[in-house]
Amino acid sequence: MGEKPRKLLVLYASQTGNALDAAERIGREAERRGCAASIVSADEFEASSLPDEEGVVFVVSTTGQGDSPDSFKAFWRFLLQRNLGKYWLQQVRYAVFGLGDSGYQKYNFVAKKLDKRLSDLGATTIIEKGLGDDQHPSGYEGTLDPWMLSLWSKLYQINPKYFPKGPDVMIPQDEVIDQPKYMTLYHKREPKLLAESEIIQRARGMSPGKLSKDKSKPDCFLKMTRNEVLTKAGSAKDVRHFEFQFVSSTIGYEVGDVVELLPSQNPSSVDAFIERCGLDPESFITVVPRETENSGEVLTQAPIRLKTFVELTMDVTSASPRRYFFEVMSFYATAEHEKERLQYFASSEGRDDLYNYNQKERRSVLEVLEDFPSVQIPFEWLVQLVPTLKPRAFSISSSPLAHPAQVHLTISIVSWITPYKRTRKGLCSSWLASLTPEQEINIPVWFHKGSLPAPPQSLPLILVGPGTGCAPFRGFIAERAVQAQSSPVAPVMFFFGCRNEGTDFLYRDFWEFHAREGGMLSEEKGGGFYRAFSRDQPKKVYVQHKIREMSKKVWDLLCDGAAVYVAGSSTKMPSDVMSALEEIVSEETGGSKEDASRWLKVLEKAGRYNVEAWS
Ligand SMILES: Cc1cc2nc3c(=O)[nH]c(=O)nc-3n(C[C@H](O)[C@H](O)[C@H](O)COP(=O)(O)OP(=O)(O)OC[C@H]3O[C@@H](n4cnc5c(N)ncnc54)[C@H](O)[C@@H]3O)c2cc1C
Ligand SMILES: Cc1cc2nc3c(=O)[nH]c(=O)nc-3n(C[C@H](O)[C@H](O)[C@H](O)COP(=O)(O)O)c2cc1C
């Protein structure tokens, strides 16, 4: 009997969906070459059965500050067990593709440590790991495409049974299209009235966008009570202070926590999408995975209005569709010139042009569909391929002690001009900016711990928060000021930065009040408030320069057991701050830069160096 054809397992772990897309693409490309592939999320895979697999492609992203996606945590804990030994995976061949952003200090950290661990457990690598980078002009796909080609040829060399007709013989794209993974069932109108949170839970629970065992139901709703512009006329930015109160139930939170907020989409754009796709907005639907077609699950799902499903789960007005969307569109295009263009976009040769047309221009699904009027895609495909409407995270800028039953946020309203001179706006920030308290809109939210643990009041603090990075520290300082009224508190140094003092100095009165005699940030309390206005003089001055200027005091506070907290832009700031601190430690201890870096690593391991950064 001949050898069985080979099968690949593609195991992925994704926080926001990119690794899932990459995994699906790898799976599709393998199948087009005649190799069966199963694509499984790490939290749905039994880790103990890994040694039974022959060929595994891992696709993992890095999130937080070098953290693994939620869906990877249990799998990773399993792999770290000491008793597994160095031969545990000796039958397994593997390849790792990581998704990351080289703007972060711990670039593709999860992929790198996974690669090392698999090798330590005896697995054999098929090819050198691939590292996808958001900073690449074509995004992670810039690395994925060439990496996959090497993967296929290496697999073929290892065993031709992977690709019986060779690694380059492919089923043409326009001859096959898979079945969509989801089915839509249409129902008669349902009479039962549901609470708002149940509607959201129902819609988001059905959506394919669940990346791990997701919390579909919001923790509660917030209502806006204040919308105030913090920046002054002439600033290049529009940064707002928002205040909210809880609607019905109140959720307890701590300073440093993060709230996730589900934005609403422009109603007329949602209507335009529904009309463009020929859908009935008032129909009642359930969306179920095709694989459950014959199971009882289909019958137990309660239906939801189609328009509500689109509004709550499908980002039709803001996010750009993925490459596969163009491939599926090409299949359904009836005008020849549209079909050709879409096929080109979906091909490797068209990748950069697609990037310029789609991602760089931040074209929405609705805009893309309008550009290709002959395409009529079945709703099942749209459900699968339209990007999921994602909640946006914000560092809470209030303190539950100082602002009971309130939540404050400090938000930069996102807006930019694309290369083709189109103005684009951030969905959530611009929606919030457009709201007024009088509208009394209920905003669905989820609370969770971020990367900034609430510090005990006895812990000295060195806080670094330029721009909206000051948000969590407004909460820290307000909280400590209340605590100081009844018991002693440890000193706080705060480094703030912005472009111009006159226009961008967020919460100026608040910081200056606390920096006054006897205040939380005052010199006599052992603290300090340091400001870097980068563009008020010819030479740029940033927070890291101010930290260097205060070397002695920073070092003394570190020696007193201070914790460092950094928040704000993820691009360069966190690593510049880290370098400034390395220089201080090395100067003060007389040790090398490497020693200083190790010293700070120990601080980090002890939970005394915390960074929350966002792009
Ligand atoms: C843990 C955490 C805490 C956060 N805390 C805060 C906070 O306190 N305050 C705050 O303001 N934000 C914070 N953010 C960021 C916030 O979550 C949102 O990303 C931000 O508000 C933009 O959301 P949006 O919906 O308005 O924009 P979106 O619709 O999501 O658009 C943003 C995207 O647009 C693109 N984009 C933006 N500007 C440009 C440009 N100039 N050129 C090209 N493309 C561009 C980028 O792809 C960017 O990711 C935090 C993020 C995280 C993860
Ligand atoms: C909040 C946040 C934190 C991130 N942290 C890191 C990081 O520490 N290192 C890194 O290389 N990339 C980091 N990234 C970039 C992501 O890894 C990258 O965007 C990736 O494509 C996301 O894949 P996913 O959607 O599958 O999670 C971060 C992205 C976000 C939004």
Side-chain angles (χ1 to χ4, degrees):
M1 249 179 36
E3 252 187 289
K4 276 193 298 184
R6 288 294 191 267
K7 190 175 174 191
L8 268 189
L9 170 66
V10 184
L11 261 187
Y12 69 90
S14 178
Q15 193 68 15
T16 61
N18 292 341
L20 166 60
D21 283 329
E24 288 187 335
R25 214 162 104 64
I26 293 170
R28 274 196 307 277
E29 291 288 325
E31 293 199 328
R32 285 213 174 107
R33 289 167 169 80
C35 172
S38 43
I39 301 145
V40 184
S41 174
D43 61 351
E44 280 164 10
F45 182 78
E46 183 50 62
S48 61
S49 65
L50 196 56
D52 305 335
E53 300 294 331
E54 275 176 58
V56 189
V57 181
F58 290 88
V59 187
V60 290
S61 68
T62 298
T63 187
Q65 297 304 314
D67 302 327
S68 53
D70 296 336
S71 57
F72 195 64
K73 292 197 169 15
F75 183 85
W76 179 241
R77 266 198 307 276
F78 187 93
L79 284 198
L80 287 183
Q81 292 177 101
R82 286 229 179 120
N83 60 352
L84 295 179
K86 59 183 181 188
Y87 303 111
W88 187 59
L89 295 179
Q90 63 178 343
Q91 306 297 337
V92 179
R93 287 184 190 271
Y94 76 96
V96 173
F97 187 81
L99 290 94
D101 180 334
S102 55
Y104 283 87
Q105 248 169 332
K106 293 190 175 170
Y107 172 52
N108 257 309
F109 193 64
V110 176
K112 289 174 186 168
K113 67 182 187 183
L114 172 65
D115 183 46
K116 167 137 196 342
R117 184 65 185 151
L118 291 169
S119 157
D120 290 348
L121 291 171
T124 312
T125 178
I126 302 165
I127 52 166
E128 175 62 21
K129 63 185 166 302
L131 299 181
D133 186 357
D134 285 0
Q135 305 281 333
H136 187 285
S138 304
Y140 71 82
E141 292 192 327
T143 317
L144 180 61
D145 279 358
W147 185 82
M148 267 195 303
L149 289 180
S150 311
L151 176 66
W152 309 141
S153 82
K154 279 278 160 49
L155 273 173
Y156 187 68
Q157 280 169 22
I158 290 166
N159 191 334
K161 295 268 174 197
Y162 275 110
F163 306 112
K165 293 185 179 164
D168 305 322
V169 181
M170 289 168 64
I171 306 167
Q173 280 176 13
D174 57 347
E175 281 181 20
V176 283
I177 191 89
D178 322 316
Q179 278 208 323
K181 290 193 188 133
Y182 290 83
M183 291 187 314
T184 319
L185 306 175
Y186 289 83
H187 302 259
K188 293 221 168 74
R189 250 154 239 276
E190 58 141 18
K192 199 174 151 214
L193 274 177
L194 290 173
E196 219 173 334
S197 61
E198 284 169 346
I199 296 175
I200 295 173
Q201 180 179 27
R202 188 172 289 187
R204 295 188 68 81
M206 278 184 213
S207 157
K210 283 184 294 174
L211 299 171
S212 64
K213 286 152 197 156
D214 198 18
K215 278 169 76 187
S216 306
K217 189 174 179 175
D219 289 336
C220 66
F221 291 86
L222 295 179
K223 198 177 275 179
M224 187 184 281
T225 54
R226 192 160 164 199
N227 173 350
E228 180 192 341
V229 183
L230 294 175
T231 37
K232 303 272 178 335
S235 169
K237 300 199 170 188
D238 173 359
V239 179
R240 310 262 178 137
H241 171 75
F242 294 103
E243 292 184 6
F244 303 87
Q245 68 186 35
F246 290 91
V247 179
S248 57
S249 60
T250 302
I251 300 284
Y253 70 89
E254 291 185 292
V255 291
D257 285 357
V258 168
V259 67
E260 282 193 329
L261 214 139
L262 186 69
S264 284
Q265 309 187 67
N266 180 335
S268 57
S269 303
V270 171
D271 289 343
F273 168 80
I274 288 174
E275 200 183 322
R276 163 67 183 81
C277 298
L279 303 168
D280 173 6
E282 298 306 323
S283 54
F284 278 85
I285 57 164
T286 45
V287 172
V288 287
R290 196 164 285 277
E291 66 209 21
T292 59
E293 192 170 0
N294 299 319
S295 76
E297 203 179 311
V298 174
L299 300 171
T300 59
Q301 290 252 23
I304 185 166
R305 208 160 63 107
L306 182 141
K307 182 172 173 179
T308 310
F309 182 80
V310 173
E311 282 168 342
L312 290 172
T313 70
M314 295 167 72
D315 187 337
V316 296
T317 61
S318 145
S320 296
R322 308 281 178 196
R323 193 155 143 196
Y324 191 38
F325 186 71
F326 291 85
E327 201 176 301
V328 174
M329 276 180 81
S330 75
F331 186 78
Y332 288 102
T334 50
E336 206 44 47
H337 65 286
E338 288 182 18
K339 198 183 228 356
E340 263 172 35
R341 183 142 182 81
L342 288 162
Q343 280 173 348
Y344 170 70
F345 274 159
S347 68
S348 291
E349 304 76 61
R351 190 190 64 219
D352 291 349
D353 283 336
L354 175 63
Y355 190 76
N356 289 332
Y357 163 79
N358 185 44
Q359 289 99 312
K360 273 242 144 188
E361 284 300 305
R362 186 69 185 270
R363 239 169 266 265
S364 69
V365 166
L366 178 59
E367 287 172 327
V368 171
L369 287 169
E370 281 169 348
D371 279 352
F372 296 91
S374 83
V375 176
Q376 205 54 255
I377 306 187
F379 187 56
E380 278 86 352
W381 271 119
L382 293 167
V383 165
Q384 180 178 328
L385 294 178
V386 171
T388 306
L389 180 66
K390 287 180 197 146
R392 270 55 168 183
F394 296 98
S395 289
I396 297 176
S397 58
S398 47
S399 137
L401 217 55
H403 315 100
Q406 296 176 35
V407 176
H408 298 181
L409 301 178
T410 310
I411 299 183
S412 178
I413 311 307
V414 174
S415 160
W416 75 99
I417 311 278
T418 68
Y420 286 106
K421 308 278 177 261
R422 293 151 23 102
T423 301
R424 304 307 287 171
K425 291 183 172 175
L427 176 66
C428 188
S429 56
S430 60
W431 172 65
L432 285 173
S434 74
L435 297 183
T436 61
E438 292 70 40
Q439 287 169 295
E440 303 219 332
I441 289 181
N442 289 349
I443 304 170
V445 294
W446 292 259
F447 284 81
H448 62 84
K449 296 280 155 213
S451 309
L452 305 178
Q457 68 186 68
S458 56
L459 182 66
L461 296 173
I462 297 168
L463 309 177
V464 187
T468 50
C470 70
F473 305 138
R474 179 176 178 270
F476 279 36
I477 289 163
E479 176 128 320
R480 211 161 256 206
V482 175
Q483 290 163 338
Q485 289 166 9
S486 53
S487 48
V489 293
V492 183
M493 292 177 82
F494 175 45
F495 293 88
F496 173 74
C498 62
R499 285 189 179 174
N500 302 106
E501 178 174 8
T503 52
D504 308 311
F505 197 169
L506 311 178
Y507 300 117
R508 175 182 201 146
D509 294 345
F510 175 83
W511 312 120
E512 290 186 343
F513 171 79
H514 288 289
R516 266 186 233 138
E517 216 183 308
M520 264 326 308
L521 296 173
S522 63
E523 302 271 335
E524 61 269 32
K525 284 272 167 76
F529 175 46
Y530 311 95
R531 307 111 31 108
F533 301 113
S534 61
R535 307 214 177 169
D536 276 351
Q537 60 288 306
K539 192 165 176 277
K540 300 258 169 70
V541 177
Y542 295 113
V543 277
Q544 62 269 23
H545 301 121
K546 291 287 159 187
I547 294 173
R548 288 292 282 126
E549 279 174 21
M550 299 309 300
S551 289
K552 177 79 179 72
K553 188 162 176 162
V554 166
W555 174 245
D556 287 347
L557 210 56
L558 283 173
C559 291
D560 286 347
V564 179
Y565 281 76
V566 182
S569 163
S570 61
T571 40
K572 261 182 106 267
M573 186 272 296
S575 56
D576 288 342
V577 168
M578 175 69 99
S579 303
L581 288 167
E582 267 170 18
E583 283 166 22
I584 293 175
V585 174
S586 140
E587 256 168 41
E588 295 291 335
T589 58
S592 65
K593 270 210 85 183
E594 290 68 37
D595 291 339
S597 161
R598 268 195 292 279
W599 196 92
L600 289 169
K601 285 238 160 66
V602 173
L603 206 66
E604 195 180 338
K605 280 230 159 77
R608 283 174 50 211
Y609 198 110
N610 303 298
V611 183
E612 185 87 270
W614 55 86
S615 53

